[in-house]
Structures are given as structure tokens and as C-alpha cells.
Amino acid sequence: MAKPTVYRFCAGPWNFSEGQDPYGPPTRPPQSFDWKLSALRELGFEAMMFHDDDAVPDIDSKSRAQVLKEAKELRKRLKGEGLVAEMVAPRLWFAPQTVDGAYTNNDPKLRRYAIDRSKQAIDIAHELDTDLLVLWLAREGSYIRESKDAGRCVDYLVTACNALLAHDPKIRLAIEPKPNEPMDVAYLPTIGHTLALAQLTRDPKRVGTLIESAHAILAGLDPADEIDFAMAFGKLWSLHLNDQNGLKFDQDKPFGSANLRVAFNQVRALERNGYGRRGEYICFDVHPFRTTRPEHWLKHLDNSRKTFLRLLDKARTYPEAQAAALITDRNYQDLDQLVLEHLLGK
Ligand code: XUL
Ligand code: MN
């Protein structure tokens, strides 16, 4: 029998957010980047994920040489803390150039900005010693259907991926789908869309995916099925575990907070497919509740990890033989109860 996977954990600097929402200002004072680094270490996490401008602040005001110099310095700081960079993601949704989309903007000059910025993000990834570029395609979609040609936008997305794949022969792209927010409707809402797009690129083997639990739920899907689907293609290269209470704004709740059974099934799907055996991390894309006091600031990350490990134990002790007999007997009524009893414990 294969040795059990020892999971390693990761989070991003944006997961120490300060409580602002569209209706109100921050509720916690800002913290330095160094504070976040040592907080991750204290929590026992081993990796950090970065937007390009998390790695190099004010990125658009700096020369490429300066950007790469600062990335190199960051790598040293990470090493000093015993952390590694899991991925880099170009933040293509903040700059004035991306108001009407990044890779799928109607203006060719602005599409060029998005591609150039992403190539620079690949160079940053290189400096940080990771071969993973995550693309959350925040503004690739439309507010009103008539503003864009959705078919042409598929070509634009393929063109962008091809340019990035050509820029660095080692880079792997992990596309993080989300069905809506900030857009009314996004062009790549699910893992299936993402993997289909990969097939149109110049090197499909280097285009994979990242599943975020909340995004799958927002698409009306079960994140465990999305995990199984992506892993059937060998394409789950990263993961944002969190939770979401139905069809609302993107909540990024602690893992398991809204639906423990859905969380359990995600852990089971990861286990049965061997996630983590090729070096993949368990990343939590979670935010503290707005009400969180500064002294409880790290709880959402610590609790997500605790819940993951408790559910891992549940996955490893699941009564498989009993479940298999109930499946053979098509007794799903008792199978349902078996799962509930197992989760509830003695
Ligand atoms: C947005 C989201 C992002 C990405 C990283 O919903 O999940 O934080 O994960 O760009
Ligand atoms: Mn995410």
C-alpha cells in the first residue's frame, strides 16, 4: 500500500485581509508583509502564493530590471523564513488598462498590456523558483452580451496562453475558473471549459487548472466532482479550498464552514486521486470574517487547516467495505446515514 500523503499548506498575503467590503472600510489595521510571512510560518504553513504585485508592490511604476531585482530579494526573504513560493498570478483586474477585460479587451493595445504584464509575471515566477502561473480570468467575460464577441474571445484567450507558453518553455499555466463576479458572466466558468480551452493551445500538456471550492459552488457544481474531473486528466495543479453558502457574493469562508459533508467529499476526492504526491500544496483562499478582531486574525487559516486534517482522518477511517456492500445492494438510504454517522462520530 502506498504511504499516506503528508499534505503541505499554503496561503496568499491577500488571505490576511483587513475586513473591507463594498459597503464599508477596513475593520483591522494594515499589517506588514513581514508580519504575514512570519504568521504563515507560525501556523506551520510551508508555502506562499503571490499575485505579481504582492511579490513586487507598485509593479507598473517600476522597470522590468527593478521588478526582477525585487523578486530575487523576495526569494531570499522567503528562504530565510523557510517558505517557498507556490505560484505567481498576474493581477489583471486592477489596472486602468483592464477595465474592459485583459486578454479579451476589445482594444488590441490593452490586450498587449495584459500579455506583457503576464510575461513579466512568468519572469517573477522564475526568480521565485516556481514553474506555476495561475490565471484567475477576473474580467474575461461581459456585463452585457452585446459588448463582446464571445467566440472571438476564445481566440484571444488561446492567443494569450500561446504567448505565455512560448515565453518560457517550462512554465505551466493553471487557470482558475469562476462563473461570475466581478463579471456578470465569465467566459471560463468551470473546470470543463478550462480543460477544453487547454486543448486549443500550442502545448495542452502545460495548461491545467486550479479549483476553488467557492467558485465551483457558485457555478452550481460540487467541488468534489470538479476535483475528480480535473484529476482524471492529470490537470489539478493547485487548489483553493474554502467554503460558500449558496449563490451569493464570493464568500471565501473557512474550509468546511458552510457544508462539512461537501468539504469531506473534497478531501476524499483529493485522497483517492493522490493529490499532493507530485508536490502540489493545499492552499486555502479564505478571508477572516469582517467582524474578526486583530487578536483572532489568523484563526480562519488555522481553523481551515484543522478542519482539513480532521476530515482527512474521516476520509482515512471511512468504512469502505460497509459502504461498498450498501452500494451493491443499492441501499443509498443507509449509505446516506452511514456517511452522516461517520461524520458525527461516536
Ligand atoms: C478571486 C480569487 C483570487 C484568485 C487569485 O475570487 O479566488 O483570489 O484565487 O488571483
Ligand atoms: Mn482563489
Side-chain angles (χ1 to χ4, degrees):
M1 227 171 71
K3 276 218 236 111
T5 310
V6 178
Y7 290 95
R8 297 178 303 165
F9 298 92
C10 168
W14 66 90
N15 298 122
F16 300 91
S17 50
E18 292 141 18
Q20 61 275 40
D21 69 15
Y23 306 97
T27 54
R28 292 175 291 279
Q31 296 284 2
S32 69
F33 182 71
D34 284 340
W35 180 86
K36 294 175 189 176
L37 273 191
S38 46
L40 264 198
R41 219 34 225 155
E42 236 169 77
L43 288 166
F45 284 40
E46 293 177 54
M48 197 177 227
M49 46 186 179
F50 290 95
H51 293 119
D52 53 357
D53 57 358
D54 295 322
V56 182
D58 303 321
I59 199 162
D60 274 338
S61 70
K62 292 174 180 163
S63 70
R64 187 169 283 229
Q66 178 66 20
V67 166
L68 297 185
K69 183 170 161 275
E70 289 186 30
K72 211 182 280 268
E73 285 161 10
L74 173 60
R75 183 175 168 179
K76 278 198 216 117
R77 269 161 96 189
L78 288 173
K79 203 164 172 217
E81 289 286 344
L83 290 164
V84 299
E86 191 249 355
M87 62 81 161
V88 176
R91 195 193 298 272
L92 294 173
W93 52 94
F94 244 75
Q97 292 91 329
T98 59
V99 166
D100 192 25
Y103 305 137
T104 60
N105 199 298
N106 284 328
D107 180 339
K109 276 197 307 300
L110 302 179
R111 293 201 296 279
R112 169 60 43 204
Y113 164 83
I115 291 177
D116 285 346
R117 178 149 172 187
S118 308
K119 285 182 181 171
Q120 180 178 255
I122 292 175
D123 298 341
I124 294 173
H126 190 74
E127 294 299 341
L128 296 183
D129 201 25
T130 171
D131 67 351
L132 196 62
L133 190 82
V134 167
L135 300 175
W136 172 46
L137 302 174
R139 298 200 187 275
E140 318 300 4
S142 60
Y143 298 109
I144 58 168
R145 298 260 74 66
E146 300 82 0
S147 63
K148 297 215 170 151
D149 177 332
R152 197 178 302 147
C153 286
V154 174
D155 291 340
Y156 290 155
L157 289 170
V158 172
T159 302
C161 288
N162 284 344
L164 305 185
L165 292 166
H167 181 69
D168 178 340
K170 293 245 167 62
I171 200 74
R172 295 179 300 140
L173 312 179
I175 301 178
E176 177 179 354
K178 181 177 180 182
N180 59 276
E181 198 203 42
M183 305 314 292
D184 176 29
V185 190
Y187 289 136
L188 298 186
T190 68
I191 297 302
H193 287 81
T194 300
L195 297 188
L197 187 100
Q199 291 310 115
L200 295 178
T201 65
R202 57 184 278 154
D203 193 356
K205 284 194 307 304
R206 288 195 286 136
V207 184
T209 193
L210 179 164
I211 289 171
E212 172 161 326
S213 327
H215 298 178
I217 295 166
L218 284 170
L221 299 171
D222 189 306
D225 287 350
E226 289 280 84
I227 290 171
D228 272 316
F229 188 81
M231 294 202 75
F233 290 81
K235 294 277 196 156
L236 188 60
W237 297 342
S238 187
L239 187 66
H240 286 178
L241 292 182
N242 57 17
D243 215 348
Q244 171 75 26
N245 184 20
L247 301 182
K248 298 186 168 74
F249 60 95
D250 185 0
Q251 295 182 307
D252 293 331
K253 289 188 162 201
F255 184 53
S257 162
N259 193 327
L260 215 44
R261 186 173 182 174
V262 169
F264 167 66
N265 281 311
Q266 288 172 76
V267 177
R268 249 190 118 212
L270 293 170
E271 268 281 276
R272 79 171 149 252
N273 288 292
Y275 184 86
R277 290 190 180 276
R278 282 160 299 273
E280 307 92 338
Y281 285 86
I282 300 289
C283 304
F284 294 115
D285 196 355
V286 292
H287 288 266
F289 301 130
R290 188 163 192 266
T291 46
T292 303
R293 295 184 197 285
E295 58 268 35
H296 307 144
W297 205 323
L298 307 181
K299 289 284 179 186
H300 62 306
L301 286 165
D302 199 31
N303 291 341
S304 292
R305 179 168 164 276
K306 271 192 196 135
T307 304
F308 178 90
L309 292 172
R310 290 288 299 274
L311 290 174
L312 180 61
D313 184 55
K314 290 288 177 189
R316 288 178 177 170
T317 55
Y318 182 65
E320 300 285 355
Q322 224 177 315
L326 292 170
I327 291 167
T328 305
D329 192 27
R330 214 180 70 193
N331 186 352
Y332 299 160
Q333 213 61 71
D334 280 349
L335 179 64
D336 188 42
Q337 190 62 17
L338 182 77
V339 174
L340 294 183
E341 302 269 349
H342 183 63
L343 287 176
L344 286 166
K346 291 278 167 267

